[in-house]
Amino acid sequence: MGGTRRRSPGITPEILLRAYSIGLFPMAESADDPEIFWVEPELRGVLPLDTFHVSKSLAKTVRRKPFDIRFDWDFDSVIAACAEHTSGRPSTWINRTIRTLYSALHKVGHAHSVEAWDDGELVGGLYGVSLGSAFFGESMFSRRTDASKICLVHLVERLQEKGFTLLDTQFTTEHLKNFGAIDVPKDEYARMLAKAMESPNLTF
């Protein structure tokens, strides 16, 4: 994946927020590995909020409102679903330590979820961390066609409405590039991040 990796022997929610503020984020080798390491990519994935792109077909689906979209309704279930092994995702970097840490961040208002519900069932979602005027996307899952994509559209609308300036995706994927995600060199990202950290913590 490129960039810096540093093992972390111990971590608290406060340390986690400090890490985000300087461009680091945590991962685990696998769901079964209790250890966490810090990652600082040479190229950082960013989804510019002012050039966010939605295809015509997805926009049409969003207008149909196939799901009940909720914010922070069941955060722990979202991160648990993101950590599940599936046929399309046989391994995951979300271990129990990460789930506990982000649940703690959610309780103090720094971790949030966007959720797609269908007839009372959680069928898609995403979660991430808010700090300053930045939102750091962590992971997403989908159990219905387009569920996670629709959650992403609602996330961007929410961030735009609330005045956020930076949507960090950590890395870019072909999926995210379809929405306009770009790779930003580490030095340029550091400047974007520093500006976002000058803002008071925005309400999600």
Side-chain angles (χ1 to χ4, degrees):
M1 61 182 62
T4 305
R5 291 169 50 141
R6 311 167 190 173
R7 285 285 175 182
S8 177
I11 183 173
T12 64
E14 294 76 19
I15 291 173
L16 183 53
L17 287 178
R18 174 59 181 161
Y20 274 107
S21 76
I22 60 173
L24 305 177
F25 59 86
M27 295 184 75
E29 291 289 355
S30 70
D32 299 324
D33 186 345
E35 290 193 26
I36 289 175
F37 57 85
W38 296 115
V39 182
E40 186 180 19
E42 290 296 330
L43 289 175
R44 193 67 163 243
V46 170
L47 189 48
L49 293 169
D50 56 350
T51 57
F52 181 69
H53 171 72
V54 179
S55 69
K56 290 182 179 179
S57 60
L58 181 59
K60 183 178 180 180
T61 302
V62 171
R63 287 194 296 270
R64 285 197 295 104
K65 299 182 179 179
F67 308 116
D68 175 18
I69 302 299
R70 306 177 188 177
F71 297 89
D72 290 339
W73 184 266
D74 192 349
F75 179 89
D76 287 342
S77 290
V78 171
I79 193 170
C82 288
E84 286 178 354
H85 298 277
T86 67
S87 57
R89 184 176 56 199
S91 63
T92 175
W93 51 268
I94 302 173
N95 63 7
R96 183 172 298 277
T97 302
I98 285 176
R99 290 172 61 176
T100 299
L101 282 168
Y102 284 86
S103 181
L105 283 188
H106 173 65
K107 288 180 173 64
V108 296
H110 279 289
H112 304 281
S113 58
V114 185
E115 308 156 13
W117 292 79
D118 184 16
D119 196 23
E121 180 185 357
L122 180 64
V123 297
L126 59 84
Y127 76 95
V129 172
S130 65
L131 187 64
S133 65
F135 189 91
F136 306 88
E138 284 295 319
S139 188
M140 58 175 60
F141 79 99
S142 189
R143 295 171 179 157
R144 296 282 193 283
T145 301
D146 291 334
S148 62
K149 293 179 182 179
I150 291 173
C151 286
L152 179 59
V153 172
H154 283 273
L155 170 66
V156 171
E157 290 178 350
R158 183 86 159 206
L159 297 180
Q160 291 170 334
E161 174 190 338
K162 297 293 184 177
F164 283 77
T165 61
L166 175 62
L167 174 51
D168 177 333
T169 66
Q170 300 180 349
F171 305 104
T172 58
T173 62
E174 290 306 312
H175 168 68
L176 290 173
K177 286 178 181 178
N178 289 332
F179 291 95
I182 58 174
D183 287 314
V184 176
K186 184 165 64 173
D187 290 347
E188 182 180 346
Y189 174 79
R191 291 190 290 271
M192 298 168 68
L193 179 62
K195 185 174 182 180
M197 292 303 101
E198 291 173 0
S199 167
N201 291 324
L202 298 182
T203 301
F204 181 80

